[in-house]
Amino acid sequence: GYIYYMARKESSDRYDFYKVSLKSGEITRLSEGEYNYGGIRLSDDNKYFAAVRSNSSTPSQIVVASTGKKRNMKVVYDTKVL
């Protein structure tokens, strides 16, 4: 199993989303890019997550991705198009 958490590990300017293996202790960054992530919601089976991300040049986006090896992050809502 895994524990999921938010931290400012990569940069003090933003929060990223991580998982840590209870078996090996290996930490994996699940968030991508130079965005601040928040509002994380995991699916009931912990296979997917949704989040709100933004940075100083990108308005808020809602993204969905897998927590597995192939994340394939998709933007499902972008406030820039409003």
Side-chain angles (χ1 to χ4, degrees):
Y2 296 92
I3 293 177
Y4 297 87
Y5 67 97
M6 303 284 298
R8 291 183 174 196
K9 183 178 176 190
E10 313 268 326
S11 169
S12 63
D13 294 336
R14 67 173 197 267
Y15 279 99
D16 284 301
F17 186 49
Y18 299 89
K19 70 178 182 180
V20 60
S21 169
L22 294 174
K23 186 175 184 179
S24 69
E26 179 183 1
I27 297 171
T28 304
R29 181 179 174 214
L30 299 174
S31 50
E32 298 177 350
E34 302 293 317
Y35 299 97
N36 187 56
Y37 283 77
I40 303 289
R41 298 293 183 263
L42 282 165
S43 62
D44 289 342
D45 60 5
N46 292 340
K47 290 184 178 181
Y48 299 94
F49 73 94
V52 177
R53 73 178 187 183
S54 65
N55 62 27
S56 60
S57 61
T58 305
S60 294
Q61 299 175 325
I62 298 174
V63 295
V64 175
S66 169
T67 59
K69 293 188 188 302
K70 288 188 99 179
R71 282 186 268 297
N72 295 326
M73 189 167 290
K74 305 257 189 252
V75 175
V76 295
Y77 185 78
D78 191 340
T79 59
K80 188 175 184 178
V81 298
L82 293 178

Coordinates of all heavy atoms in Angstrom, one line a residue:
G1 N 0.8 -1.2 0.0 CA 0.0 0.0 0.0 C 0.9 1.3 0.0 O 2.1 1.2 0.1
Y2 N 0.2 2.4 -0.1 CA 0.8 3.7 -0.1 C 0.2 4.7 0.8 O -1.0 4.5 1.2 CB 0.8 4.3 -1.5 CG 1.5 3.5 -2.6 CD1 0.8 2.5 -3.3 CD2 2.8 3.7 -2.9 CE1 1.5 1.7 -4.3 CE2 3.5 2.9 -3.8 CZ 2.8 2.0 -4.5 OH 3.5 1.2 -5.5
I3 N 1.0 5.6 1.2 CA 0.5 6.8 1.9 C 0.6 8.0 0.9 O 1.7 8.1 0.3 CB 1.2 7.1 3.2 CG1 0.9 6.0 4.2 CG2 0.8 8.5 3.8 CD1 1.7 6.2 5.5
Y4 N -0.4 8.8 0.8 CA -0.4 10.0 -0.2 C -0.3 11.2 0.7 O -0.9 11.3 1.7 CB -1.6 10.0 -1.0 CG -1.7 8.7 -1.9 CD1 -2.3 7.6 -1.4 CD2 -1.2 8.7 -3.2 CE1 -2.4 6.4 -2.2 CE2 -1.3 7.6 -4.0 CZ -1.9 6.4 -3.5 OH -1.9 5.3 -4.3
Y5 N 0.5 12.2 0.2 CA 0.7 13.4 0.9 C 1.1 14.6 0.1 O 1.6 14.4 -1.1 CB 1.7 13.2 2.1 CG 3.1 13.0 1.6 CD1 4.0 14.0 1.6 CD2 3.5 11.7 1.3 CE1 5.3 13.8 1.1 CE2 4.8 11.5 0.8 CZ 5.7 12.5 0.8 OH 7.0 12.3 0.4
M6 N 0.9 15.8 0.6 CA 1.3 17.0 -0.1 C 2.6 17.6 0.6 O 2.6 17.4 1.9 CB 0.2 18.1 0.0 CG -1.1 17.7 -0.5 SD -1.1 17.8 -2.3 CE -0.8 19.5 -2.6
A7 N 3.5 18.1 -0.1 CA 4.7 18.7 0.5 C 5.4 19.7 -0.4 O 5.1 19.7 -1.6 CB 5.7 17.6 0.9
R8 N 6.2 20.5 0.2 CA 7.0 21.5 -0.5 C 8.4 21.0 -0.6 O 9.4 21.6 -0.2 CB 7.0 22.9 0.2 CG 5.6 23.5 0.1 CD 5.7 24.9 0.7 NE 4.4 25.5 0.5 CZ 4.2 26.8 0.6 NH1 5.2 27.6 1.0 NH2 3.0 27.3 0.4
K9 N 8.6 19.8 -1.1 CA 9.9 19.1 -1.2 C 10.7 19.6 -2.3 O 11.9 19.8 -2.1 CB 9.6 17.6 -1.3 CG 10.8 16.7 -1.3 CD 10.5 15.3 -1.4 CE 11.7 14.4 -1.6 NZ 11.5 13.1 -1.9
E10 N 10.2 19.8 -3.5 CA 11.0 20.2 -4.7 C 11.3 21.7 -4.7 O 12.3 22.1 -5.2 CB 10.2 19.8 -6.0 CG 9.6 18.4 -6.0 CD 10.6 17.4 -6.6 OE1 11.3 17.8 -7.5 OE2 10.6 16.3 -6.2
S11 N 10.3 22.5 -4.1 CA 10.5 23.9 -4.1 C 9.6 24.5 -3.0 O 8.5 24.0 -2.7 CB 10.0 24.5 -5.5 OG 9.8 25.9 -5.4
S12 N 10.2 25.5 -2.4 CA 9.4 26.2 -1.3 C 8.3 27.1 -1.8 O 7.5 27.6 -1.1 CB 10.3 27.0 -0.4 OG 10.9 28.0 -1.1
D13 N 8.2 27.2 -3.1 CA 7.2 28.1 -3.8 C 5.9 27.3 -4.1 O 4.9 28.0 -4.5 CB 7.7 28.7 -5.1 CG 8.9 29.7 -4.8 OD1 9.0 30.2 -3.7 OD2 9.7 29.8 -5.8
R14 N 5.9 26.0 -4.0 CA 4.7 25.3 -4.4 C 4.6 24.0 -3.7 O 5.5 23.4 -3.1 CB 4.8 25.0 -5.9 CG 5.9 24.0 -6.3 CD 5.9 23.6 -7.8 NE 6.6 22.4 -8.0 CZ 7.9 22.4 -8.3 NH1 8.6 23.5 -8.5 NH2 8.6 21.2 -8.5
Y15 N 3.3 23.5 -3.6 CA 3.0 22.2 -3.1 C 3.0 21.2 -4.2 O 2.4 21.5 -5.3 CB 1.7 22.2 -2.3 CG 1.8 22.7 -0.9 CD1 1.4 24.0 -0.7 CD2 2.2 21.9 0.1 CE1 1.5 24.6 0.6 CE2 2.3 22.4 1.4 CZ 1.9 23.7 1.6 OH 2.0 24.2 2.9
D16 N 3.5 20.0 -4.0 CA 3.4 18.9 -4.9 C 2.7 17.7 -4.2 O 2.6 17.7 -3.0 CB 4.8 18.5 -5.4 CG 5.4 19.4 -6.4 OD1 4.8 19.6 -7.5 OD2 6.5 20.0 -6.2
F17 N 2.3 16.8 -5.0 CA 1.6 15.6 -4.5 C 2.5 14.4 -4.6 O 3.1 14.2 -5.7 CB 0.3 15.4 -5.3 CG -0.6 14.4 -4.8 CD1 -1.0 14.3 -3.4 CD2 -1.2 13.5 -5.6 CE1 -1.8 13.3 -3.0 CE2 -2.1 12.5 -5.2 CZ -2.4 12.4 -3.9
Y18 N 2.6 13.6 -3.6 CA 3.5 12.4 -3.5 C 2.8 11.2 -3.0 O 1.8 11.3 -2.3 CB 4.7 12.7 -2.6 CG 5.6 13.9 -3.0 CD1 5.3 15.1 -2.6 CD2 6.7 13.7 -3.8 CE1 6.1 16.2 -2.9 CE2 7.5 14.7 -4.2 CZ 7.2 16.0 -3.7 OH 8.0 17.1 -4.1
K19 N 3.4 10.0 -3.3 CA 3.0 8.8 -2.6 C 4.3 8.1 -2.1 O 5.4 8.3 -2.7 CB 2.3 7.9 -3.5 CG 3.1 7.2 -4.6 CD 2.2 6.3 -5.4 CE 3.0 5.6 -6.5 NZ 2.2 4.6 -7.3
V20 N 4.2 7.4 -1.0 CA 5.3 6.7 -0.4 C 4.9 5.3 -0.2 O 3.8 5.0 0.3 CB 5.9 7.3 0.9 CG1 4.8 7.4 2.0 CG2 7.1 6.6 1.4
S21 N 5.7 4.3 -0.7 CA 5.4 2.9 -0.5 C 5.6 2.5 0.9 O 6.7 2.8 1.5 CB 6.3 2.1 -1.4 OG 6.2 0.7 -1.1
L22 N 4.6 1.8 1.5 CA 4.8 1.3 2.9 C 5.8 0.2 2.9 O 6.4 -0.1 4.0 CB 3.4 0.9 3.4 CG 2.4 2.0 3.6 CD1 1.0 1.4 4.0 CD2 2.9 3.0 4.6
K23 N 5.9 -0.5 1.8 CA 6.9 -1.7 1.8 C 8.3 -1.3 1.6 O 9.2 -1.7 2.4 CB 6.5 -2.6 0.6 CG 7.2 -3.9 0.5 CD 6.7 -4.8 -0.6 CE 7.4 -6.1 -0.6 NZ 6.8 -7.0 -1.6
S24 N 8.6 -0.4 0.6 CA 10.0 0.0 0.3 C 10.4 1.3 0.9 O 11.6 1.6 0.9 CB 10.2 -0.1 -1.2 OG 9.5 1.0 -1.8
G25 N 9.5 2.2 1.1 CA 9.8 3.6 1.5 C 10.1 4.5 0.4 O 10.4 5.6 0.5
E26 N 9.9 4.0 -0.9 CA 10.2 4.8 -2.1 C 9.1 5.9 -2.2 O 8.0 5.6 -2.1 CB 10.2 3.9 -3.3 CG 10.4 4.6 -4.6 CD 10.3 3.8 -5.8 OE1 10.0 2.6 -5.7 OE2 10.4 4.3 -6.9
I27 N 9.6 7.1 -2.5 CA 8.8 8.3 -2.6 C 8.7 8.6 -4.1 O 9.7 8.6 -4.8 CB 9.3 9.5 -1.9 CG1 9.3 9.2 -0.4 CG2 8.5 10.7 -2.2 CD1 10.0 10.2 0.4
T28 N 7.4 8.8 -4.6 CA 7.2 9.1 -6.0 C 6.4 10.4 -6.1 O 5.3 10.5 -5.4 CB 6.4 8.0 -6.7 OG1 7.1 6.8 -6.5 CG2 6.1 8.3 -8.2
R29 N 6.9 11.4 -6.9 CA 6.1 12.6 -7.1 C 5.1 12.3 -8.1 O 5.4 11.8 -9.2 CB 7.1 13.7 -7.6 CG 6.4 15.0 -7.9 CD 7.3 16.1 -8.4 NE 6.6 17.3 -8.7 CZ 7.0 18.1 -9.7 NH1 8.0 17.8 -10.4 NH2 6.3 19.1 -10.0
L30 N 3.8 12.6 -7.8 CA 2.7 12.4 -8.7 C 2.3 13.6 -9.5 O 1.7 13.5 -10.6 CB 1.5 11.8 -7.9 CG 1.7 10.5 -7.2 CD1 0.5 10.2 -6.3 CD2 2.0 9.4 -8.2
S31 N 2.6 14.8 -8.9 CA 2.3 16.0 -9.6 C 3.3 16.3 -10.7 O 4.4 15.7 -10.7 CB 2.2 17.2 -8.7 OG 3.3 17.2 -7.8
E32 N 3.0 17.1 -11.7 CA 3.9 17.4 -12.8 C 4.1 18.9 -13.0 O 3.2 19.6 -12.7 CB 3.4 16.8 -14.1 CG 3.2 15.3 -14.1 CD 2.6 14.8 -15.4 OE1 2.1 15.6 -16.2 OE2 2.6 13.5 -15.5
G33 N 5.2 19.2 -13.5 CA 5.5 20.6 -13.9 C 5.7 21.5 -12.7 O 5.8 21.1 -11.6
E34 N 5.8 22.8 -13.0 CA 6.1 23.9 -12.1 C 4.8 24.5 -11.6 O 4.6 25.7 -11.7 CB 7.0 24.9 -12.7 CG 8.3 24.4 -13.2 CD 9.2 23.9 -12.1 OE1 9.3 24.5 -11.1 OE2 9.8 22.8 -12.3
Y35 N 3.9 23.7 -11.1 CA 2.6 24.2 -10.7 C 2.4 24.0 -9.2 O 3.0 23.0 -8.6 CB 1.4 23.4 -11.4 CG 1.4 23.6 -12.9 CD1 2.0 22.6 -13.7 CD2 0.8 24.7 -13.4 CE1 1.9 22.7 -15.0 CE2 0.8 24.8 -14.8 CZ 1.3 23.8 -15.6 OH 1.3 23.9 -17.0
N36 N 1.6 24.8 -8.5 CA 1.2 24.6 -7.2 C -0.1 23.7 -7.2 O -1.0 24.1 -7.9 CB 0.9 25.9 -6.5 CG 0.6 25.7 -5.0 OD1 1.5 25.2 -4.3 ND2 -0.5 26.2 -4.5
Y37 N -0.1 22.6 -6.5 CA -1.2 21.7 -6.5 C -2.0 21.8 -5.2 O -1.4 22.0 -4.1 CB -0.8 20.2 -6.7 CG -0.4 19.9 -8.1 CD1 0.8 20.3 -8.6 CD2 -1.2 19.2 -8.9 CE1 1.2 20.1 -9.9 CE2 -0.9 18.9 -10.2 CZ 0.3 19.3 -10.7 OH 0.6 19.0 -12.0
G38 N -3.3 21.7 -5.3 CA -4.2 21.7 -4.1 C -5.5 21.0 -4.4 O -5.7 20.6 -5.5
G39 N -6.3 20.9 -3.4 CA -7.7 20.3 -3.6 C -7.6 18.9 -4.1 O -8.4 18.4 -4.8
I40 N -6.6 18.1 -3.6 CA -6.4 16.8 -4.1 C -7.6 15.9 -3.6 O -7.9 15.9 -2.5 CB -5.1 16.2 -3.6 CG1 -3.9 17.0 -3.9 CG2 -4.9 14.7 -4.0 CD1 -3.5 17.0 -5.4
R41 N -8.1 15.1 -4.6 CA -9.1 14.1 -4.3 C -8.7 12.8 -4.9 O -8.4 12.7 -6.1 CB -10.5 14.5 -4.8 CG -11.0 15.8 -4.3 CD -11.3 15.6 -2.8 NE -11.9 16.8 -2.2 CZ -11.3 17.7 -1.5 NH1 -10.0 17.6 -1.3 NH2 -11.9 18.7 -1.0
L42 N -8.6 11.7 -4.1 CA -8.2 10.4 -4.6 C -9.5 9.6 -4.9 O -10.5 9.8 -4.2 CB -7.4 9.6 -3.6 CG -6.0 9.9 -3.5 CD1 -5.4 9.4 -2.2 CD2 -5.2 9.4 -4.6
S43 N -9.5 8.8 -6.0 CA -10.6 7.9 -6.3 C -10.7 6.9 -5.1 O -9.8 6.6 -4.4 CB -10.4 7.2 -7.6 OG -9.3 6.4 -7.6
D44 N -11.9 6.2 -5.0 CA -12.1 5.2 -4.0 C -11.1 4.1 -4.0 O -10.7 3.6 -2.9 CB -13.5 4.7 -4.1 CG -14.6 5.7 -3.7 OD1 -14.2 6.7 -3.0 OD2 -15.8 5.4 -4.0
D45 N -10.6 3.7 -5.1 CA -9.6 2.7 -5.2 C -8.1 3.2 -5.2 O -7.2 2.4 -5.4 CB -9.8 1.8 -6.5 CG -9.8 2.6 -7.8 OD1 -9.4 3.8 -7.8 OD2 -10.1 2.0 -8.8
N46 N -8.0 4.5 -5.1 CA -6.6 5.1 -5.1 C -5.9 5.0 -6.4 O -4.6 5.2 -6.4 CB -5.8 4.6 -3.9 CG -6.3 5.1 -2.5 OD1 -7.1 6.0 -2.4 ND2 -5.9 4.4 -1.5
K47 N -6.5 4.7 -7.5 CA -5.8 4.5 -8.8 C -5.7 5.9 -9.5 O -4.9 6.0 -10.4 CB -6.5 3.5 -9.6 CG -6.4 2.1 -9.1 CD -7.0 1.1 -10.0 CE -6.8 -0.3 -9.5 NZ -7.3 -1.3 -10.4
Y48 N -6.6 6.8 -9.2 CA -6.6 8.1 -9.9 C -6.7 9.3 -8.8 O -7.2 9.1 -7.7 CB -7.8 8.2 -10.8 CG -7.7 7.2 -11.9 CD1 -8.4 6.0 -11.7 CD2 -7.0 7.4 -13.1 CE1 -8.3 5.0 -12.7 CE2 -7.0 6.4 -14.0 CZ -7.6 5.2 -13.8 OH -7.5 4.2 -14.8
F49 N -6.3 10.4 -9.3 CA -6.5 11.6 -8.4 C -6.9 12.8 -9.3 O -6.6 12.9 -10.5 CB -5.2 11.9 -7.6 CG -4.1 12.5 -8.3 CD1 -3.9 13.9 -8.4 CD2 -3.1 11.7 -8.9 CE1 -2.8 14.5 -9.1 CE2 -2.0 12.2 -9.6 CZ -1.9 13.6 -9.7
A50 N -7.6 13.7 -8.7 CA -8.0 15.0 -9.3 C -7.4 16.1 -8.4 O -7.2 15.9 -7.2 CB -9.5 15.1 -9.4
A51 N -7.0 17.2 -9.1 CA -6.4 18.3 -8.4 C -6.6 19.6 -9.1 O -6.9 19.6 -10.3 CB -4.9 18.1 -8.2
V52 N -6.5 20.7 -8.3 CA -6.4 22.0 -8.9 C -5.0 22.5 -8.9 O -4.3 22.3 -7.9 CB -7.3 23.0 -8.1 CG1 -7.2 24.4 -8.7 CG2 -8.7 22.6 -8.0
R53 N -4.5 22.9 -10.1 CA -3.1 23.4 -10.2 C -3.1 24.8 -10.8 O -4.0 25.1 -11.7 CB -2.3 22.4 -10.9 CG -2.5 22.4 -12.4 CD -1.6 21.4 -13.1 NE -1.8 21.6 -14.6 CZ -1.1 20.8 -15.5 NH1 -0.3 19.9 -15.0 NH2 -1.3 21.0 -16.7
S54 N -2.1 25.6 -10.5 CA -1.9 26.9 -11.1 C -0.4 27.3 -10.8 O 0.2 26.7 -10.0 CB -2.9 27.9 -10.6 OG -2.7 28.1 -9.2
N55 N 0.0 28.4 -11.5 CA 1.2 29.1 -11.1 C 1.1 30.5 -11.5 O 0.0 31.0 -11.9 CB 2.4 28.4 -11.7 CG 2.4 28.4 -13.2 OD1 1.8 29.2 -13.9 ND2 3.1 27.4 -13.8
S56 N 2.1 31.3 -11.4 CA 2.0 32.8 -11.7 C 1.6 33.1 -13.1 O 1.1 34.2 -13.4 CB 3.3 33.5 -11.3 OG 4.4 32.9 -12.1
S57 N 1.8 32.2 -14.1 CA 1.5 32.5 -15.4 C 0.3 31.6 -16.0 O -0.1 31.8 -17.1 CB 2.7 32.3 -16.3 OG 3.2 31.0 -16.3
T58 N -0.2 30.7 -15.2 CA -1.2 29.8 -15.6 C -2.4 29.9 -14.6 O -2.2 29.5 -13.4 CB -0.8 28.3 -15.6 OG1 0.4 28.2 -16.5 CG2 -1.8 27.4 -16.2
P59 N -3.6 30.3 -15.1 CA -4.8 30.3 -14.2 C -5.1 28.9 -13.8 O -4.6 27.9 -14.3 CB -5.9 30.9 -15.1 CG -5.2 31.6 -16.2 CD -3.9 30.8 -16.4
S60 N -6.0 28.8 -12.8 CA -6.3 27.5 -12.3 C -6.8 26.5 -13.3 O -7.6 26.9 -14.2 CB -7.4 27.6 -11.2 OG -6.9 28.3 -10.1
Q61 N -6.3 25.3 -13.2 CA -6.8 24.2 -14.0 C -7.2 23.0 -13.1 O -6.5 22.8 -12.1 CB -5.6 23.7 -14.9 CG -5.1 24.7 -15.9 CD -3.9 24.2 -16.7 OE1 -3.1 23.4 -16.1 NE2 -3.8 24.6 -17.9
I62 N -8.1 22.2 -13.5 CA -8.5 21.0 -12.9 C -7.9 19.9 -13.7 O -8.1 19.8 -14.9 CB -10.0 20.8 -12.7 CG1 -10.5 21.9 -11.8 CG2 -10.3 19.4 -12.1 CD1 -12.0 21.9 -11.7
V63 N -7.1 19.0 -13.1 CA -6.4 17.9 -13.8 C -6.8 16.6 -13.1 O -7.1 16.5 -12.0 CB -4.9 18.1 -13.8 CG1 -4.5 19.3 -14.6 CG2 -4.3 18.2 -12.4
V64 N -6.7 15.5 -13.9 CA -6.9 14.2 -13.5 C -5.7 13.3 -14.0 O -5.3 13.5 -15.1 CB -8.2 13.6 -14.0 CG1 -8.4 12.1 -13.7 CG2 -9.4 14.4 -13.5
A65 N -5.2 12.4 -13.1 CA -4.1 11.6 -13.5 C -4.2 10.3 -12.7 O -4.8 10.2 -11.7 CB -2.8 12.3 -13.2
S66 N -3.5 9.3 -13.2 CA -3.3 8.0 -12.6 C -2.2 8.1 -11.5 O -1.3 8.9 -11.6 CB -2.9 6.9 -13.6 OG -2.5 5.8 -12.9
T67 N -2.4 7.3 -10.4 CA -1.3 7.3 -9.4 C -0.3 6.2 -9.7 O 0.6 6.0 -8.9 CB -1.9 7.0 -8.0 OG1 -2.7 5.8 -8.0 CG2 -2.8 8.1 -7.6
G68 N -0.5 5.5 -10.8 CA 0.4 4.4 -11.2 C 1.6 4.9 -12.0 O 1.9 6.1 -12.0
K69 N 2.3 4.0 -12.7 CA 3.5 4.3 -13.4 C 3.2 5.3 -14.6 O 4.0 6.1 -14.9 CB 4.2 3.1 -13.9 CG 4.8 2.2 -12.7 CD 5.6 1.1 -13.2 CE 6.0 0.1 -12.1 NZ 6.7 0.7 -11.0
K70 N 2.1 5.0 -15.3 CA 1.8 5.9 -16.5 C 0.7 6.9 -16.0 O -0.5 6.5 -15.9 CB 1.2 5.0 -17.6 CG 2.3 4.2 -18.3 CD 1.7 3.6 -19.5 CE 2.1 4.4 -20.7 NZ 1.6 3.9 -22.0
R71 N 1.1 8.1 -15.7 CA 0.2 9.1 -15.1 C -0.7 9.7 -16.2 O -1.9 10.0 -15.9 CB 0.9 10.1 -14.3 CG 1.3 9.5 -13.0 CD 1.9 10.5 -12.1 NE 3.4 10.6 -12.2 CZ 4.2 9.7 -11.9 NH1 3.7 8.5 -11.5 NH2 5.5 9.8 -11.9
N72 N -0.2 10.0 -17.4 CA -1.0 10.6 -18.4 C -2.0 11.7 -17.9 O -3.2 11.6 -18.0 CB -1.8 9.6 -19.2 CG -0.9 8.6 -19.9 OD1 0.1 9.0 -20.4 ND2 -1.3 7.4 -20.0
M73 N -1.4 12.8 -17.3 CA -2.2 13.8 -16.7 C -3.0 14.6 -17.8 O -2.5 14.9 -18.8 CB -1.3 14.8 -16.0 CG -2.1 15.8 -15.1 SD -1.1 16.7 -14.0 CE -0.7 15.5 -12.8
K74 N -4.3 14.7 -17.5 CA -5.2 15.4 -18.5 C -5.8 16.6 -17.8 O -6.2 16.6 -16.6 CB -6.3 14.5 -18.9 CG -5.9 13.2 -19.5 CD -6.0 13.2 -20.9 CE -5.8 11.8 -21.5 NZ -4.5 11.6 -22.2
V75 N -5.8 17.7 -18.5 CA -6.5 18.9 -18.0 C -8.0 18.8 -18.4 O -8.3 18.6 -19.6 CB -6.0 20.2 -18.7 CG1 -6.8 21.4 -18.3 CG2 -4.5 20.4 -18.3
V76 N -8.9 18.8 -17.4 CA -10.3 18.6 -17.7 C -11.1 19.9 -17.6 O -12.2 19.9 -18.0 CB -10.9 17.5 -16.8 CG1 -10.3 16.1 -17.1 CG2 -10.8 17.8 -15.3
Y77 N -10.5 20.9 -17.0 CA -11.1 22.2 -16.9 C -10.0 23.3 -16.8 O -9.1 23.1 -16.0 CB -12.0 22.3 -15.7 CG -12.8 23.6 -15.6 CD1 -13.9 23.8 -16.4 CD2 -12.4 24.6 -14.8 CE1 -14.6 25.0 -16.3 CE2 -13.1 25.8 -14.7 CZ -14.2 26.0 -15.5 OH -14.9 27.2 -15.4
D78 N -10.1 24.3 -17.6 CA -9.1 25.3 -17.7 C -9.8 26.7 -17.6 O -10.6 27.0 -18.5 CB -8.3 25.2 -19.0 CG -7.1 26.1 -19.0 OD1 -7.0 27.1 -18.2 OD2 -6.2 25.8 -19.8
T79 N -9.6 27.5 -16.5 CA -10.2 28.8 -16.4 C -9.7 29.8 -17.4 O -10.3 30.8 -17.6 CB -10.0 29.4 -15.0 OG1 -8.6 29.5 -14.7 CG2 -10.7 28.5 -14.0
K80 N -8.6 29.5 -18.1 CA -8.0 30.4 -19.1 C -9.0 30.6 -20.3 O -9.0 31.6 -20.9 CB -6.7 29.9 -19.6 CG -5.9 30.8 -20.5 CD -4.6 30.2 -20.8 CE -3.8 31.2 -21.6 NZ -2.4 30.7 -21.9
V81 N -9.8 29.6 -20.6 CA -10.7 29.6 -21.7 C -12.0 30.4 -21.5 O -12.8 30.6 -22.3 CB -11.0 28.2 -22.3 CG1 -9.7 27.5 -22.8 CG2 -11.7 27.4 -21.2
L82 N -12.2 30.8 -20.2 CA -13.4 31.5 -19.9 C -13.4 32.9 -20.4 O -12.4 33.6 -20.5 CB -13.6 31.5 -18.4 CG -13.9 30.1 -17.8 CD1 -14.1 30.2 -16.3 CD2 -15.2 29.5 -18.4

